[in-house]
Amino acid sequence: LSLANTRDSVSITQSRLSTGNRINTAIDGPTAYFSAKSLNDRASDLTDRKSQIDQGISVIGAALTGASSIDSTLTQMKGIVKSAATADEATRETLKTQYNDLLKSIDKTAGDSSYNGVNLLNGGDVKLTVQFGDSERASQSVQAKNLSTSKDGLNLQTITGFGSTTAELDAMGSELDGAIGTVRASAKELGTNV
């Protein structure tokens, strides 16, 4: 009997040492066990919420990086339009090719600006929702923006030439200014959600 009690005591002590918990089962102390279980479950829930928040921040970070790249590309395109005003015909042809290549890169950037399969720059019905707490009110939702060159996005098309008048070049510059404004407004809206 004494040997059995010693063996049970050793088993309990080993269990406490291996888990780091004084109470490991409801038999050790029901009130303390269920209080500890409740606290451990709450800690696990908070860890899950923190993970969701970190994932949401990473998705928004990828979108902001993409928006910044698109902004830079549009600024380069605007510089090309300004250069076309004083360029000869051969140079204009090269500038047209550069302009159209940059336009394609905008769609590629918008399509590639995703994290963990969530893209906030390619439009559509994508909505990122991050849960901060137990209630539905404790959440933040971010709707995707369309920063592609499509009509629903920045509404920019490939060009066949720059036109022959200053008014045509000014119109292209204004169109690019509008696109830059859209990208910056979208980035600002996304950034306020971080």
Side-chain angles (χ1 to χ4, degrees), residues 81-164:
V81 170
K82 286 181 182 179
S83 296
T86 58
D88 61 21
E89 204 53 43
T91 305
R92 278 181 162 225
E93 194 61 34
T94 302
L95 292 174
K96 176 187 83 168
T97 301
Q98 290 175 356
Y99 181 96
N100 288 333
D101 288 346
L102 288 172
L103 193 67
K104 288 176 193 172
S105 77
I106 289 174
D107 287 332
K108 181 162 177 31
T109 301
D112 289 345
S113 296
S114 63
Y115 179 83
N116 213 16
V118 180
N119 187 326
L120 294 178
L121 296 186
N122 224 10
D125 293 330
V126 177
K127 188 177 198 179
L128 172 69
T129 301
V130 177
Q131 195 76 26
F132 295 102
D134 295 332
S135 72
E136 286 295 319
R137 294 181 308 192
S139 66
Q140 178 75 30
S141 293
V142 180
Q143 185 65 44
K145 309 296 177 196
N146 190 344
L147 298 185
S148 70
T149 59
S150 70
K151 288 184 181 183
D152 296 332
L154 300 176
N155 195 21
L156 299 171
Q157 291 83 34
T158 56
I159 60 171
T160 56
F162 286 102
S164 57

Side-chain angles (χ1 to χ4, degrees), residues 65-77:
T65 300
S68 176
S69 178
I70 291 170
D71 185 337
S72 176
T73 302
L74 288 167
T75 302
Q76 290 174 12
M77 291 169 67

